[in-house]
Amino acid sequence: MGPCCTVFPNCTSVGCHFGAGAPEMHCSLHTFFAESRLSGEQSSQPGMAWQGRLQLSAQGPKLLFTLLCSSCAPGIDCFKELPEGSGLCILWGHLRAAGTMEIVYVYVKKRSEFGKQCNFSDRQAELNIDIPPNPQLAEQFMERNPVDKGIQCSVSMSEHEANTERFETETRGVNHIEGGWPKDVNPLELEQTIRFRKKVEKDENYMNAVMQLGSIMEHCIKQNNAIDIYQEYFQDEEVVEVTEEAPSAKTINVFRDPQEIKRSATHLSWHPDGNRKLAVAYSCLNFQRAPEGMSLESYIWDLENPNKPEIVLKPSSPLVTLEYNPKDSHVLLGGCYNGQIACWDTRKGSLVAELSTIEFSHRDPVYGSIWLQSKTGTECFSASTDGQVMWWDIRKLSEPTEVVIMDITRKEQLENALGAISLEFESTLPTKFMVGTEQGIVISCNRKAKTSAEKIVCTFSGHHGPIYALQRNPFYPKNFLTVGDWTARIWSEDSRESSIMWTKYHMAYLTDGAWSPVRPAVFFTTKMDGTLDIWDFVFKQCDPALSLKVCDEALFCLRVQDNGCFIACGSQLGTTTLLEVSNGLYTLQRNEKNMASSIFERETRREKILEARHREMRLKEKSKTEGKDEEPREEVPTTNLEELVTKAEEEFFSVIFTELKKKEAAAMKPKPKHQKMEGDEEVEGEDEEEEGASEETPT
């Protein structure tokens, strides 16, 4: 018979199942395996034989034994126990004792011999044991209360700090143009496009597609006409419960000037759509003191990415003002330090799209620029300290469309004009505009006047220095706010001689101010010491409702978001801080409009009465000065007034001396009597109070 193991096919012994690689085993194994395979005498049953295999591995040789059964299917081995005392067991014992081999069993079974398959099923719960409580054991139990037990099982804690790397993002845009045309069709040629459209419309596939889409579009149009998904059901509800939350504000983000040479943030402007972007103008307003190498760039910041500006604006001169176009958010208007007016279109890049000529521009820096509410959305006007207000159309910036000189003497002389620092324009009053000057005077103008002299209507004077902020109340346009020197003042157009309300004189100079767009009684001011003050004159008039230290350097500009929730403040070092105020400062309170209106009307009436009184006093003084020479007898009342004053002083001091004498006499009386008298006086005092109360009730 041939060898039954193919691992060592080079064995020359007859009936040996091992190769030449194990010569020490040939003499003792091949005879045993051959005899057991032929006769099956060493097996426990007839027709069965043992097969052995020697397997070499890294751990050493292994001997594998398998019992072959003639009754099983071909190729399937049956495992049986080795008969005790057999030659194979003896041989295996010698090999195991030598420590040269390790036994490994190979189990091969039929599927039918695995046993019965397990089947699981649901059944009801069964009660196996029920042990009732023993009352005798309960009597022996003694309760411990309280129980103190020390346990030391605290979790070990450790504190670690990690400084993560800054994740910088960059925004990029793509301008799309008309496409989808074949190569042989030029989209700019109208005849070719019309010819191609007619060809496509005659195609059957096109007609079938339009017919299929027509029913879907008709369904959508009918659905939109039936239901307005953007309807606001509670738009007219303005009454909100008064919140008792204390006014507060927190810093949301900080946008720093990326240039090494720091510049001042001179003006801020919110993006008109969604207010997710903020345009900041940077310049140095110190005359002829700009440092060498100072950058001219201004930036547009994304509120969610303070690390890098989204868009860089590159003017020819530093920008003092920068304003978004409310009708086209891609267009910005800028006033330059050299007096020019610049216009940008962010879709075209960072460079200036339109620029006014230097000959027809302002002669000083442009401190104010405002967009007008026009049909085209391209008209604007600007103001400068050269004393001129100019109207522009950005479609043609070569020269202004109109110029008004701020000469309050109405002589239209530029050398007599007052320098303009701030501008105010209300869309509800399209013909009126107001100008704040360097001399602390507010000039009210009418653009549609017949003559240039009539364009200056009236003036309001009350500040000791330049008026840095000028804004009408968004709810009551007749009342406007001015910020200058050390105070902020509220004016009424009906009272021209003085303001109707004003803040106290601060220790630091005020730099900017603005009304809240959602609350008529709230306004904001910034100061040179880096403080932001929030005023609510319905809540408190003498002091600000909230005073917040924003930064260590001076704050130069301020801008409030349209919803009144966020405030942006620009500082002297170019840092723009974004603040979020508490809910009570941007939520309209109950009856706040009526209360603010009544306060404005009351203060206006009071000022009118005081103005009339001052006029009377001035007329009397004039009449006195004019009649001094003619009637010298008018000097007699002055002597009488002096006599009356001396008499009043004598009476006042005599009353004081008499009271002092009474107190000294009461102090000289003996103590026991004095104590009894005090008790009697207390009782009498109580009776007198009761009598006084009874006497006061009928009156």
Side-chain angles (χ1 to χ4, degrees):
M1 58 179 291
C4 60
C5 179
T6 59
V7 179
F8 302 105
N10 299 323
C11 182
T12 57
S13 302
V14 178
C16 182
H17 297 270
F18 297 93
E24 67 276 8
M25 301 179 187
H26 288 179
C27 58
S28 59
L29 286 177
H30 76 274
T31 305
F32 169 75
F33 277 110
E35 292 176 355
S36 62
R37 187 63 181 262
L38 292 173
S39 61
E41 293 177 355
Q42 302 298 330
S43 303
S44 58
Q45 294 181 6
M48 303 183 69
W50 295 99
Q51 182 178 3
R53 292 180 298 173
L54 182 64
Q55 186 179 22
L56 296 178
S57 63
Q59 290 79 14
K62 295 182 181 180
L63 184 61
L64 300 158
F65 298 104
T66 306
L67 183 64
L68 303 179
C69 181
S70 60
S71 62
C72 298
I76 299 177
D77 298 341
C78 294
F79 173 75
K80 299 291 182 180
E81 294 181 359
L82 295 174
E84 295 182 2
S86 61
L88 185 60
C89 283
I90 296 170
L91 175 63
W92 180 242
H94 289 297
L95 294 173
R96 191 173 181 182
T100 58
M101 291 191 180
E102 181 181 350
I103 189 166
V104 176
Y105 296 100
V106 178
Y107 299 91
V108 180
K109 271 191 179 182
K110 281 187 176 182
R111 175 65 185 85
S112 60
E113 297 180 4
F114 283 169
K116 188 178 180 181
Q117 184 178 2
C118 297
N119 293 323
F120 299 97
S121 61
D122 296 334
R123 66 175 184 178
Q124 297 295 329
E126 296 180 359
L127 181 63
N128 296 326
I129 301 173
D130 185 9
I131 302 175
N134 190 351
Q136 296 179 355
L137 296 176
E139 292 177 356
Q140 298 176 4
F141 179 76
M142 183 179 294
E143 184 179 1
R144 264 178 81 186
N145 189 15
V147 179
D148 295 332
K149 191 173 183 180
I151 298 175
Q152 188 171 357
C153 192
S154 60
V155 181
S156 58
M157 305 290 290
S158 62
E159 183 179 356
H160 298 276
E161 294 182 359
N163 189 10
T164 58
E165 295 182 0
R166 177 181 293 180
F167 179 73
E168 296 184 0
T169 59
E170 184 177 354
T171 306
R172 295 185 180 181
V174 178
N175 293 331
H176 298 276
I177 60 174
E178 186 177 358
W181 297 94
K183 293 182 179 180
D184 56 346
V185 177
N186 186 7
L188 301 178
E189 293 291 337
L190 185 61
E191 294 181 358
Q192 295 183 15
T193 57
I194 292 173
R195 193 182 307 114
F196 182 76
R197 283 196 181 96
K198 288 182 179 180
K199 179 182 177 181
V200 172
E201 289 173 359
K202 292 179 181 179
D203 191 2
E204 293 183 359
N205 295 330
Y206 175 78
M207 297 174 67
N208 294 332
V210 171
M211 292 298 293
Q212 291 177 0
L213 295 174
S215 59
I216 300 174
M217 287 299 300
E218 184 181 2
H219 172 73
C220 295
I221 292 170
K222 289 181 178 179
Q223 187 177 12
N224 288 338
N225 293 335
I227 301 172
D228 184 11
I229 62 175
Y230 299 106
Q231 182 181 359
E232 296 183 6
Y233 295 97
F234 307 102
Q235 187 175 5
D236 298 333
E237 289 290 333
E238 296 181 353
V239 178
V240 181
E241 293 293 332
V242 179
T243 58
E244 297 182 356
E245 180 185 3
S248 62
K250 59 181 180 180
T251 302
I252 299 297
N253 232 330
V254 178
F255 307 92
R256 304 184 188 278
D257 184 9
Q259 300 295 329
E260 294 182 0
I261 301 175
K262 300 302 179 183
R263 306 157 296 166
S264 301
T266 54
H267 201 268
L268 306 170
S269 180
W270 288 98
H271 193 277
D273 298 336
N275 293 325
R276 301 307 304 168
K277 297 178 184 178
L278 184 67
V280 185
Y282 297 90
S283 64
C284 179
L285 299 180
N286 296 327
F287 181 65
Q288 294 183 349
R289 294 182 185 176
E292 295 182 1
M294 187 186 73
S295 175
L296 308 180
E297 297 175 350
S298 293
Y299 307 108
I300 297 176
W301 297 88
D302 187 352
L303 299 187
E304 297 180 356
N305 184 18
N307 300 326
K308 187 178 180 181
E310 186 180 48
I311 300 175
V312 180
L313 304 178
K314 298 180 179 179
S316 58
S317 177
L319 290 180
V320 182
T321 62
L322 187 62
E323 285 287 345
Y324 268 107
N325 189 338
K327 288 192 174 183
D328 189 356
S329 59
H330 299 285
V331 179
L332 292 96
L333 178 70
C336 300
Y337 189 78
N338 62 354
Q340 288 181 296
I341 301 297
C343 181
W344 280 269
D345 190 341
T346 56
R347 294 166 293 191
K348 296 181 180 180
S350 300
L351 299 178
V352 178
E354 298 290 338
L355 184 66
S356 64
T357 56
I358 194 71
E359 294 83 5
F360 298 99
S361 301
H362 291 282
R363 303 180 182 181
D364 283 352
V366 181
Y367 284 96
S369 59
I370 296 179
W371 290 95
L372 295 173
Q373 295 290 337
S374 59
K375 294 180 180 179
T376 59
T378 58
E379 296 181 7
C380 57
F381 71 111
S382 60
S384 173
T385 49
D386 62 353
Q388 298 181 97
V389 176
M390 296 182 178
W391 276 261
W392 307 85
D393 193 331
I394 61 173
R395 295 174 295 184
K396 186 182 178 182
L397 276 179
S398 58
E399 58 181 357
T401 58
E402 187 180 352
V403 179
V404 176
I405 298 174
M406 295 290 104
D407 185 7
I408 58 176
T409 60
R410 296 179 174 83
K411 295 180 181 179
E412 297 184 14
Q413 295 180 0
L414 191 59
E415 56 270 14
N416 296 332
L418 304 181
I421 288 288
S422 54
L423 271 178
E424 165 58 30
F425 173 76
E426 178 63 35
S427 58
T428 57
L429 306 171
T431 61
K432 293 184 178 180
F433 68 95
M434 304 181 77
V435 180
T437 63
E438 288 181 302
Q439 291 74 18
I441 299 174
V442 178
I443 303 175
S444 178
C445 305
N446 185 4
R447 184 187 176 189
K448 299 299 181 182
K450 295 180 181 179
T451 62
S452 56
E454 294 177 355
K455 290 183 179 180
I456 296 177
V457 179
C458 61
T459 59
F460 303 85
S461 59
H463 285 282
H464 307 293
I467 297 175
Y468 292 109
L470 173 62
Q471 186 182 9
R472 291 183 184 271
N473 190 294
F475 296 88
Y476 305 102
K478 283 189 175 181
N479 303 102
F480 57 92
L481 172 73
T482 60
V483 174
D485 53 64
W486 300 271
T487 60
R489 297 177 180 268
I490 299 174
W491 303 74
S492 174
E493 289 185 344
D494 299 333
S495 177
R496 299 180 181 178
E497 293 189 6
S498 62
S499 56
I500 60 173
M501 298 174 68
W502 55 88
T503 65
K504 64 181 181 181
Y505 279 81
H506 297 276
M507 297 300 294
Y509 212 75
L510 270 66
T511 56
D512 202 356
W515 286 102
S516 171
V518 293
R519 289 193 57 188
V522 175
F523 63 93
F524 309 90
T525 58
T526 55
K527 294 187 293 186
M528 291 288 287
D529 59 355
T531 305
L532 170 68
D533 290 336
I534 303 176
W535 296 81
D536 185 355
F537 57 79
V538 171
F539 172 69
K540 190 189 294 185
Q541 296 184 3
C542 298
D543 297 312
L546 177 64
S547 184
L548 186 66
K549 182 75 171 178
V550 178
C551 56
D552 296 331
E553 64 267 15
L555 292 177
F556 271 15
C557 55
L558 165 75
R559 203 64 181 266
V560 187
Q561 202 181 26
D562 292 338
N563 58 8
C565 179
F566 296 103
I567 305 170
C569 303
S571 72
Q572 187 178 8
L573 297 180
T575 302
T576 303
T577 306
L578 182 63
L579 302 169
E580 182 182 5
V581 298
S582 59
N583 190 19
L585 292 174
Y586 66 88
T587 303
L588 190 66
Q589 305 296 321
R590 179 182 294 175
N591 297 327
E592 183 177 356
K593 287 185 178 180
N594 297 331
M595 294 175 65
S597 176
S598 62
I599 290 174
F600 287 148
E601 291 176 358
R602 182 191 66 199
E603 297 298 327
T604 303
R605 270 189 265 109
R606 182 181 65 84
E607 286 299 324
K608 285 183 178 180
I609 293 170
L610 292 175
E611 287 176 8
R613 177 63 178 164
H614 284 306
R615 289 194 197 99
E616 292 179 1
M617 294 177 67
R618 289 171 189 167
L619 291 173
K620 286 182 180 179
E621 289 178 358
K622 286 182 181 179
S623 62
K624 288 178 182 179
T625 54
E626 290 176 358
K628 274 184 180 180
D629 299 334
E630 298 177 358
E631 298 180 1
R633 295 179 182 177
E634 292 182 358
E635 296 178 357
V636 176
T638 57
T639 57
N640 294 333
L641 287 172
E642 292 178 357
E643 292 178 358
L644 291 173
V645 169
T646 53
K647 288 182 180 179
E649 289 179 354
E650 291 176 357
E651 292 177 358
F652 175 73
F653 286 116
S654 64
V655 171
I656 291 174
F657 289 140
T658 53
E659 290 293 330
L660 289 173
K661 289 179 180 179
K662 288 181 181 179
K663 288 183 179 180
E664 290 177 357
M668 294 297 291
K669 292 181 181 180
K671 291 184 180 180
K673 291 183 180 180
H674 181 65
Q675 291 175 355
K676 291 181 182 179
M677 287 295 291
E678 284 181 352
D680 296 336
E681 284 176 2
E682 289 177 358
V683 176
E684 290 176 1
E686 291 176 357
D687 297 336
E688 287 176 0
E689 288 177 358
E690 292 176 357
E691 291 176 0
S694 62
E695 290 177 358
E696 288 176 0
T697 49
T699 59

